Amino acid sequence: MRLTAADLTIRSVDGPMQSESPGAKTPSALSIAGSDPTGGAGIQADLQVFQRFGVHGMAVITALTVQDSEKVYQVLPSFPSVVLDQLRTLLRDLRPGAVKIGMLATDDVVRNVMLALPQLQPGTPIVIDPVLAASDRSRLLERRAIGSLQALLEGATLVTPNLHEAAELTERDTSNRRGCQEAAVVLLEEFGCKAALIKGGHRDGAPDDLLARRLEDGSIEIDWLAGERIEAGPVHGTGCALSSAIAALLARGRPLESAVAEARSFVAHGLAHATPLGGGARFLGSA
Ligand code: PLP
């Protein structure tokens, strides 16, 4: 079943989603990500997605960007100490039901985010979209931050790299299925994430995603999730939307597999209805 945005809004008011997080009156999620003035990616997109899923959105901005629908022109990282102060102040008072981490820009920002995470309530799901570069190849995380980003993955509920990000993080060749499986094992075994979703959208052929999970008996389960190629041309911010939809659903108490499945349908629906708002990449649609 494919849900429309309208279905999701109605379900969030009085439908079955209400009972998924017993005791939590208003589910909430925190996005730690960069600002995209177009609204198609980054914090602006995350907050729109949280709202679609009936989740109150909190946001800590890691960088400003100058960009349009074609290109990123400038990245201005936030002061790392201010990112940390915002997180510490926020988490002293509010308890997000899930956290999504996206663009982090610099090594210092990554390290300061890492310092704040122990303040989360134990067991808070953390979804990390390890944003390294924009589609126009502009760097959104400085290269020297890779080691810190790998360290940030320790204990994360889910990491959602695309093929390039998985290759850079794990130094594996992700151009074939076997290499993706090896990369997933590295993400779980070496870097300590509980699960990895390696997105196949940049692959030639079927854009299947790989979901790897650590099971309770300690073994790793790998599933290939079939994807359908939707010929939408370049669409901006799909990775941000996917990871924030998963975080929103986890904040509502959904189990991981079901959150991943629904978030993938949500993005597929957005791709099928992608809309041109500017002269470059299209934006996910909600029709
Ligand atoms: N700007 C920000 C703030 C982002 O977080 C991202 C992606 O995560 C982008 C731009 C790039 O989006 P795209 O890959 O669609 O170019």
Side-chain angles (χ1 to χ4, degrees):
M1 182 182 66
R2 197 160 273 179
L3 292 174
T4 65
D7 293 330
L8 293 168
T9 311
I10 293 161
R11 274 156 56 90
S12 74
V13 173
D14 58 6
M17 288 185 109
Q18 210 75 31
S19 61
E20 282 164 6
S21 185
K25 276 201 188 112
T26 304
S28 64
L30 165 64
S31 172
I32 305 174
S35 160
D36 170 10
T38 73
I43 284 278
Q44 289 84 345
D46 294 345
L47 292 177
Q48 292 178 54
V49 171
F50 289 166
Q51 193 166 24
R52 292 258 182 82
F53 284 90
V55 170
H56 169 78
M58 309 167 199
V60 167
I61 298 179
T62 56
L64 298 178
T65 65
V66 177
Q67 62 178 299
D68 57 22
S69 59
E70 285 181 26
K71 184 168 171 2
V72 176
Y73 297 90
Q74 268 185 61
V75 171
L76 179 72
S78 301
F79 285 113
S81 62
V82 176
V83 170
L84 179 58
D85 284 348
Q86 286 188 68
L87 287 168
R88 285 207 165 134
T89 305
L90 178 76
L91 297 176
R92 261 204 309 265
D93 186 23
L94 285 80
R95 296 178 172 183
V99 177
K100 173 247 158 95
I101 301 178
M103 171 187 177
L104 293 170
T106 67
D107 190 57
D108 276 348
V109 171
V110 180
R111 287 165 183 270
N112 279 275
V113 167
M114 219 175 335
L115 286 176
L117 295 183
Q119 239 180 285
L120 290 167
Q121 289 297 109
T124 306
I126 301 176
V127 179
I128 302 183
D129 180 13
V131 175
L132 300 181
S135 305
D136 71 356
R137 300 195 172 193
S138 304
R139 222 39 220 183
L140 300 179
L141 180 73
E142 59 182 351
R143 279 185 206 283
R144 72 187 186 99
I146 284 290
S148 300
L149 182 62
Q150 290 166 340
L152 181 73
L153 299 181
E154 172 82 48
T157 309
L158 178 71
V159 59
T160 63
N162 61 31
L163 295 176
H164 307 302
E165 291 159 350
E168 193 170 328
L169 276 167
T170 65
E171 297 180 343
R172 295 296 186 282
D173 174 6
T174 55
S175 63
N176 58 62
R177 285 188 171 228
R178 199 187 152 136
C180 281
Q181 290 177 195
E182 284 174 16
V185 170
V186 172
L187 290 167
L188 271 64
E189 296 274 12
E190 270 184 45
F191 303 141
C193 339
K194 295 182 186 141
L197 179 69
I198 301 183
K199 299 169 291 188
H202 293 104
R203 193 195 315 279
D204 292 335
D208 300 346
D209 298 336
L210 179 160
L211 178 63
R213 287 183 311 138
R214 168 88 60 195
L215 300 181
E216 272 176 18
D217 66 4
S219 62
I220 293 176
E221 184 182 77
I222 291 187
D223 288 310
W224 282 97
L225 310 176
E228 215 178 292
R229 172 79 53 203
I230 298 170
E231 290 306 341
V235 177
H236 186 47
T238 50
C240 300
L242 182 74
S243 54
S244 53
I246 296 170
L249 288 158
L250 293 175
R252 301 203 66 118
R254 278 292 188 87
L256 182 71
E257 265 186 295
S258 143
V260 167
E262 184 163 337
R264 288 176 82 242
S265 314
F266 170 73
V267 172
H269 179 86
L271 280 169
H273 295 85
T275 118
L277 294 177
R282 295 201 277 173
F283 289 59
L284 285 176
S286 57

PDB file of all heavy atoms in Angstrom, residues 33-36 40-44 63 65 67 72 102-103 129 131 133-136 140 165 235-240 281, ligand 1:
ATOM      1  N   ALA A  33      21.317  19.198  11.335  1.00  0.00           N
ATOM      2  CA  ALA A  33      21.622  19.178   9.901  1.00  0.00           C
ATOM      3  C   ALA A  33      21.899  20.580   9.391  1.00  0.00           C
ATOM      4  O   ALA A  33      21.767  21.563  10.124  1.00  0.00           O
ATOM      5  CB  ALA A  33      20.445  18.544   9.150  1.00  0.00           C
ATOM      6  N   GLY A  34      22.239  20.665   8.111  1.00  0.00           N
ATOM      7  CA  GLY A  34      22.535  21.957   7.494  1.00  0.00           C
ATOM      8  C   GLY A  34      21.277  22.635   6.984  1.00  0.00           C
ATOM      9  O   GLY A  34      20.246  21.990   6.786  1.00  0.00           O
ATOM     10  N   SER A  35      21.382  23.935   6.794  1.00  0.00           N
ATOM     11  CA  SER A  35      20.245  24.704   6.287  1.00  0.00           C
ATOM     12  C   SER A  35      20.313  24.792   4.761  1.00  0.00           C
ATOM     13  O   SER A  35      21.364  25.096   4.201  1.00  0.00           O
ATOM     14  CB  SER A  35      20.288  26.112   6.886  1.00  0.00           C
ATOM     15  OG  SER A  35      19.531  27.004   6.104  1.00  0.00           O
ATOM     16  N   ASP A  36      19.202  24.509   4.115  1.00  0.00           N
ATOM     17  CA  ASP A  36      19.099  24.653   2.656  1.00  0.00           C
ATOM     18  C   ASP A  36      17.989  25.648   2.351  1.00  0.00           C
ATOM     19  O   ASP A  36      16.810  25.313   2.481  1.00  0.00           O
ATOM     20  CB  ASP A  36      18.790  23.288   2.021  1.00  0.00           C
ATOM     21  CG  ASP A  36      18.443  23.422   0.555  1.00  0.00           C
ATOM     22  OD1 ASP A  36      18.618  24.524  -0.011  1.00  0.00           O
ATOM     23  OD2 ASP A  36      17.976  22.423  -0.035  1.00  0.00           O
ATOM     24  N   GLY A  40      14.379  22.282  -0.100  1.00  0.00           N
ATOM     25  CA  GLY A  40      14.313  20.932  -0.676  1.00  0.00           C
ATOM     26  C   GLY A  40      15.123  19.903   0.077  1.00  0.00           C
ATOM     27  O   GLY A  40      14.866  18.706  -0.020  1.00  0.00           O
ATOM     28  N   ALA A  41      16.132  20.361   0.828  1.00  0.00           N
ATOM     29  CA  ALA A  41      16.996  19.425   1.556  1.00  0.00           C
ATOM     30  C   ALA A  41      17.272  20.023   2.937  1.00  0.00           C
ATOM     31  O   ALA A  41      16.716  21.055   3.308  1.00  0.00           O
ATOM     32  CB  ALA A  41      18.306  19.196   0.785  1.00  0.00           C
ATOM     33  N   GLY A  42      18.128  19.320   3.690  1.00  0.00           N
ATOM     34  CA  GLY A  42      18.561  19.854   4.975  1.00  0.00           C
ATOM     35  C   GLY A  42      17.430  20.048   5.969  1.00  0.00           C
ATOM     36  O   GLY A  42      16.368  19.431   5.879  1.00  0.00           O
ATOM     37  N   ILE A  43      17.705  20.927   6.929  1.00  0.00           N
ATOM     38  CA  ILE A  43      16.784  21.179   8.044  1.00  0.00           C
ATOM     39  C   ILE A  43      15.371  21.518   7.559  1.00  0.00           C
ATOM     40  O   ILE A  43      14.386  21.028   8.100  1.00  0.00           O
ATOM     41  CB  ILE A  43      17.316  22.390   8.867  1.00  0.00           C
ATOM     42  CG1 ILE A  43      18.505  21.964   9.724  1.00  0.00           C
ATOM     43  CG2 ILE A  43      16.239  23.044   9.677  1.00  0.00           C
ATOM     44  CD1 ILE A  43      18.144  21.307  11.020  1.00  0.00           C
ATOM     45  N   GLN A  44      15.306  22.379   6.515  1.00  0.00           N
ATOM     46  CA  GLN A  44      13.983  22.823   6.056  1.00  0.00           C
ATOM     47  C   GLN A  44      13.164  21.637   5.574  1.00  0.00           C
ATOM     48  O   GLN A  44      11.959  21.540   5.842  1.00  0.00           O
ATOM     49  CB  GLN A  44      14.129  23.871   4.939  1.00  0.00           C
ATOM     50  CG  GLN A  44      14.643  25.230   5.401  1.00  0.00           C
ATOM     51  CD  GLN A  44      16.159  25.318   5.510  1.00  0.00           C
ATOM     52  OE1 GLN A  44      16.861  24.314   5.514  1.00  0.00           O
ATOM     53  NE2 GLN A  44      16.673  26.531   5.602  1.00  0.00           N
ATOM     54  N   ALA A  63      25.198  24.192   9.698  1.00  0.00           N
ATOM     55  CA  ALA A  63      25.849  25.026   8.679  1.00  0.00           C
ATOM     56  C   ALA A  63      24.788  25.798   7.905  1.00  0.00           C
ATOM     57  O   ALA A  63      23.663  25.317   7.753  1.00  0.00           O
ATOM     58  CB  ALA A  63      26.629  24.161   7.689  1.00  0.00           C
ATOM     59  N   THR A  65      24.051  27.277   4.100  1.00  0.00           N
ATOM     60  CA  THR A  65      24.554  27.090   2.744  1.00  0.00           C
ATOM     61  C   THR A  65      23.974  28.187   1.864  1.00  0.00           C
ATOM     62  O   THR A  65      22.920  28.747   2.170  1.00  0.00           O
ATOM     63  CB  THR A  65      24.142  25.727   2.140  1.00  0.00           C
ATOM     64  OG1 THR A  65      22.712  25.699   1.998  1.00  0.00           O
ATOM     65  CG2 THR A  65      24.607  24.561   2.989  1.00  0.00           C
ATOM     66  N   GLN A  67      22.695  28.176  -1.802  1.00  0.00           N
ATOM     67  CA  GLN A  67      22.432  27.244  -2.901  1.00  0.00           C
ATOM     68  C   GLN A  67      21.091  27.547  -3.552  1.00  0.00           C
ATOM     69  O   GLN A  67      20.227  28.211  -2.982  1.00  0.00           O
ATOM     70  CB  GLN A  67      22.473  25.795  -2.430  1.00  0.00           C
ATOM     71  CG  GLN A  67      21.451  25.374  -1.392  1.00  0.00           C
ATOM     72  CD  GLN A  67      21.584  23.890  -1.041  1.00  0.00           C
ATOM     73  OE1 GLN A  67      21.432  23.030  -1.886  1.00  0.00           O
ATOM     74  NE2 GLN A  67      21.868  23.598   0.224  1.00  0.00           N
ATOM     75  N   VAL A  72      25.320  24.202  -5.143  1.00  0.00           N
ATOM     76  CA  VAL A  72      25.701  24.769  -3.844  1.00  0.00           C
ATOM     77  C   VAL A  72      26.852  25.753  -4.106  1.00  0.00           C
ATOM     78  O   VAL A  72      27.861  25.378  -4.700  1.00  0.00           O
ATOM     79  CB  VAL A  72      26.162  23.664  -2.870  1.00  0.00           C
ATOM     80  CG1 VAL A  72      26.643  24.268  -1.556  1.00  0.00           C
ATOM     81  CG2 VAL A  72      25.039  22.662  -2.619  1.00  0.00           C
ATOM     82  N   GLY A 102      22.211  14.855   9.829  1.00  0.00           N
ATOM     83  CA  GLY A 102      22.516  14.971   8.398  1.00  0.00           C
ATOM     84  C   GLY A 102      23.861  15.645   8.186  1.00  0.00           C
ATOM     85  O   GLY A 102      24.861  15.264   8.796  1.00  0.00           O
ATOM     86  N   MET A 103      23.866  16.692   7.353  1.00  0.00           N
ATOM     87  CA  MET A 103      25.116  17.394   7.028  1.00  0.00           C
ATOM     88  C   MET A 103      25.777  17.969   8.284  1.00  0.00           C
ATOM     89  O   MET A 103      25.136  18.635   9.082  1.00  0.00           O
ATOM     90  CB  MET A 103      24.786  18.554   6.071  1.00  0.00           C
ATOM     91  CG  MET A 103      25.939  19.475   5.818  1.00  0.00           C
ATOM     92  SD  MET A 103      25.387  20.915   4.848  1.00  0.00           S
ATOM     93  CE  MET A 103      26.911  21.835   4.792  1.00  0.00           C
ATOM     94  N   ASP A 129      22.309  10.164   8.442  1.00  0.00           N
ATOM     95  CA  ASP A 129      22.481  10.258   6.991  1.00  0.00           C
ATOM     96  C   ASP A 129      23.874  10.858   6.800  1.00  0.00           C
ATOM     97  O   ASP A 129      24.066  12.051   7.033  1.00  0.00           O
ATOM     98  CB  ASP A 129      21.389  11.179   6.418  1.00  0.00           C
ATOM     99  CG  ASP A 129      21.496  11.329   4.915  1.00  0.00           C
ATOM    100  OD1 ASP A 129      22.237  10.552   4.287  1.00  0.00           O
ATOM    101  OD2 ASP A 129      20.832  12.230   4.369  1.00  0.00           O
ATOM    102  N   VAL A 131      25.986  12.592   5.210  1.00  0.00           N
ATOM    103  CA  VAL A 131      26.080  13.482   4.045  1.00  0.00           C
ATOM    104  C   VAL A 131      27.536  13.898   3.821  1.00  0.00           C
ATOM    105  O   VAL A 131      28.155  14.480   4.704  1.00  0.00           O
ATOM    106  CB  VAL A 131      25.215  14.739   4.281  1.00  0.00           C
ATOM    107  CG1 VAL A 131      25.391  15.728   3.143  1.00  0.00           C
ATOM    108  CG2 VAL A 131      23.755  14.371   4.468  1.00  0.00           C
ATOM    109  N   ALA A 133      28.627  14.934   0.257  1.00  0.00           N
ATOM    110  CA  ALA A 133      28.666  15.889  -0.865  1.00  0.00           C
ATOM    111  C   ALA A 133      27.263  16.057  -1.436  1.00  0.00           C
ATOM    112  O   ALA A 133      26.414  15.171  -1.289  1.00  0.00           O
ATOM    113  CB  ALA A 133      29.607  15.368  -1.947  1.00  0.00           C
ATOM    114  N   ALA A 134      27.033  17.191  -2.079  1.00  0.00           N
ATOM    115  CA  ALA A 134      25.753  17.415  -2.759  1.00  0.00           C
ATOM    116  C   ALA A 134      25.802  16.751  -4.132  1.00  0.00           C
ATOM    117  O   ALA A 134      26.867  16.305  -4.579  1.00  0.00           O
ATOM    118  CB  ALA A 134      25.509  18.912  -2.903  1.00  0.00           C
ATOM    119  N   SER A 135      24.670  16.702  -4.801  1.00  0.00           N
ATOM    120  CA  SER A 135      24.627  16.069  -6.128  1.00  0.00           C
ATOM    121  C   SER A 135      25.545  16.767  -7.119  1.00  0.00           C
ATOM    122  O   SER A 135      26.047  16.145  -8.049  1.00  0.00           O
ATOM    123  CB  SER A 135      23.200  16.071  -6.678  1.00  0.00           C
ATOM    124  OG  SER A 135      22.348  15.460  -5.758  1.00  0.00           O
ATOM    125  N   ASP A 136      25.791  18.077  -6.940  1.00  0.00           N
ATOM    126  CA  ASP A 136      26.708  18.782  -7.845  1.00  0.00           C
ATOM    127  C   ASP A 136      28.163  18.568  -7.432  1.00  0.00           C
ATOM    128  O   ASP A 136      29.064  19.231  -7.943  1.00  0.00           O
ATOM    129  CB  ASP A 136      26.375  20.287  -7.895  1.00  0.00           C
ATOM    130  CG  ASP A 136      26.739  21.010  -6.599  1.00  0.00           C
ATOM    131  OD1 ASP A 136      27.182  20.355  -5.638  1.00  0.00           O
ATOM    132  OD2 ASP A 136      26.573  22.243  -6.538  1.00  0.00           O
ATOM    133  N   LEU A 140      30.085  18.694   1.385  1.00  0.00           N
ATOM    134  CA  LEU A 140      29.265  19.165   2.510  1.00  0.00           C
ATOM    135  C   LEU A 140      29.841  18.695   3.845  1.00  0.00           C
ATOM    136  O   LEU A 140      29.350  19.078   4.901  1.00  0.00           O
ATOM    137  CB  LEU A 140      27.807  18.703   2.346  1.00  0.00           C
ATOM    138  CG  LEU A 140      27.101  19.206   1.069  1.00  0.00           C
ATOM    139  CD1 LEU A 140      25.673  18.679   0.994  1.00  0.00           C
ATOM    140  CD2 LEU A 140      27.091  20.733   0.996  1.00  0.00           C
ATOM    141  N   GLU A 165      28.779   7.367  -0.480  1.00  0.00           N
ATOM    142  CA  GLU A 165      29.080   7.565   0.946  1.00  0.00           C
ATOM    143  C   GLU A 165      29.531   6.254   1.595  1.00  0.00           C
ATOM    144  O   GLU A 165      30.481   6.232   2.386  1.00  0.00           O
ATOM    145  CB  GLU A 165      27.844   8.134   1.652  1.00  0.00           C
ATOM    146  CG  GLU A 165      27.541   9.563   1.219  1.00  0.00           C
ATOM    147  CD  GLU A 165      26.102  10.012   1.453  1.00  0.00           C
ATOM    148  OE1 GLU A 165      25.235   9.164   1.796  1.00  0.00           O
ATOM    149  OE2 GLU A 165      25.824  11.207   1.256  1.00  0.00           O
ATOM    150  N   VAL A 235      16.395  14.879  -8.569  1.00  0.00           N
ATOM    151  CA  VAL A 235      15.452  15.375  -7.548  1.00  0.00           C
ATOM    152  C   VAL A 235      16.273  15.681  -6.302  1.00  0.00           C
ATOM    153  O   VAL A 235      17.116  14.885  -5.885  1.00  0.00           O
ATOM    154  CB  VAL A 235      14.343  14.343  -7.242  1.00  0.00           C
ATOM    155  CG1 VAL A 235      13.427  14.860  -6.139  1.00  0.00           C
ATOM    156  CG2 VAL A 235      13.521  14.051  -8.491  1.00  0.00           C
ATOM    157  N   HIS A 236      16.027  16.842  -5.735  1.00  0.00           N
ATOM    158  CA  HIS A 236      16.827  17.378  -4.631  1.00  0.00           C
ATOM    159  C   HIS A 236      16.335  16.845  -3.289  1.00  0.00           C
ATOM    160  O   HIS A 236      15.132  16.771  -3.053  1.00  0.00           O
ATOM    161  CB  HIS A 236      16.642  18.905  -4.696  1.00  0.00           C
ATOM    162  CG  HIS A 236      17.473  19.680  -3.748  1.00  0.00           C
ATOM    163  ND1 HIS A 236      18.811  19.466  -3.572  1.00  0.00           N
ATOM    164  CD2 HIS A 236      17.146  20.704  -2.910  1.00  0.00           C
ATOM    165  CE1 HIS A 236      19.273  20.331  -2.676  1.00  0.00           C
ATOM    166  NE2 HIS A 236      18.272  21.083  -2.267  1.00  0.00           N
ATOM    167  N   GLY A 237      17.271  16.430  -2.449  1.00  0.00           N
ATOM    168  CA  GLY A 237      16.929  16.176  -1.040  1.00  0.00           C
ATOM    169  C   GLY A 237      16.277  14.840  -0.729  1.00  0.00           C
ATOM    170  O   GLY A 237      15.670  14.688   0.331  1.00  0.00           O
ATOM    171  N   THR A 238      16.415  13.850  -1.624  1.00  0.00           N
ATOM    172  CA  THR A 238      15.744  12.559  -1.360  1.00  0.00           C
ATOM    173  C   THR A 238      16.339  11.865  -0.128  1.00  0.00           C
ATOM    174  O   THR A 238      15.613  11.259   0.656  1.00  0.00           O
ATOM    175  CB  THR A 238      15.861  11.614  -2.575  1.00  0.00           C
ATOM    176  OG1 THR A 238      17.234  11.575  -2.962  1.00  0.00           O
ATOM    177  CG2 THR A 238      15.042  12.105  -3.742  1.00  0.00           C
ATOM    178  N   GLY A 239      17.671  11.984   0.033  1.00  0.00           N
ATOM    179  CA  GLY A 239      18.316  11.332   1.181  1.00  0.00           C
ATOM    180  C   GLY A 239      17.862  11.951   2.496  1.00  0.00           C
ATOM    181  O   GLY A 239      17.644  11.245   3.488  1.00  0.00           O
ATOM    182  N   CYS A 240      17.722  13.268   2.496  1.00  0.00           N
ATOM    183  CA  CYS A 240      17.265  13.962   3.714  1.00  0.00           C
ATOM    184  C   CYS A 240      15.848  13.508   4.054  1.00  0.00           C
ATOM    185  O   CYS A 240      15.531  13.223   5.211  1.00  0.00           O
ATOM    186  CB  CYS A 240      17.244  15.477   3.503  1.00  0.00           C
ATOM    187  SG  CYS A 240      18.848  16.164   3.090  1.00  0.00           S
ATOM    188  N   ALA A 281      17.306  20.929 -10.231  1.00  0.00           N
ATOM    189  CA  ALA A 281      16.698  19.682  -9.764  1.00  0.00           C
ATOM    190  C   ALA A 281      15.261  19.928  -9.313  1.00  0.00           C
ATOM    191  O   ALA A 281      14.915  21.024  -8.850  1.00  0.00           O
ATOM    192  CB  ALA A 281      17.508  19.135  -8.594  1.00  0.00           C
TER     193      ALA A 281
HETATM  194  N1  PLP B   1      22.130  21.010   1.300  1.00  0.00           N
HETATM  195  C1  PLP B   1      22.001  20.422   2.467  1.00  0.00           C
HETATM  196  C2  PLP B   1      21.899  21.269   3.686  1.00  0.00           C
HETATM  197  C3  PLP B   1      21.951  19.030   2.530  1.00  0.00           C
HETATM  198  O1  PLP B   1      21.842  18.411   3.718  1.00  0.00           O
HETATM  199  C4  PLP B   1      22.029  18.267   1.334  1.00  0.00           C
HETATM  200  C5  PLP B   1      21.975  16.812   1.328  1.00  0.00           C
HETATM  201  O2  PLP B   1      21.926  16.144   2.298  1.00  0.00           O
HETATM  202  C6  PLP B   1      22.172  18.923   0.156  1.00  0.00           C
HETATM  203  C7  PLP B   1      22.232  20.286   0.168  1.00  0.00           C
HETATM  204  C8  PLP B   1      22.342  18.210  -1.113  1.00  0.00           C
HETATM  205  O3  PLP B   1      21.202  17.683  -1.587  1.00  0.00           O
HETATM  206  P1  PLP B   1      21.310  16.941  -2.981  1.00  0.00           P
HETATM  207  O4  PLP B   1      22.099  15.705  -2.719  1.00  0.00           O
HETATM  208  O5  PLP B   1      19.916  16.655  -3.336  1.00  0.00           O
HETATM  209  O6  PLP B   1      22.036  17.858  -3.910  1.00  0.00           O
END
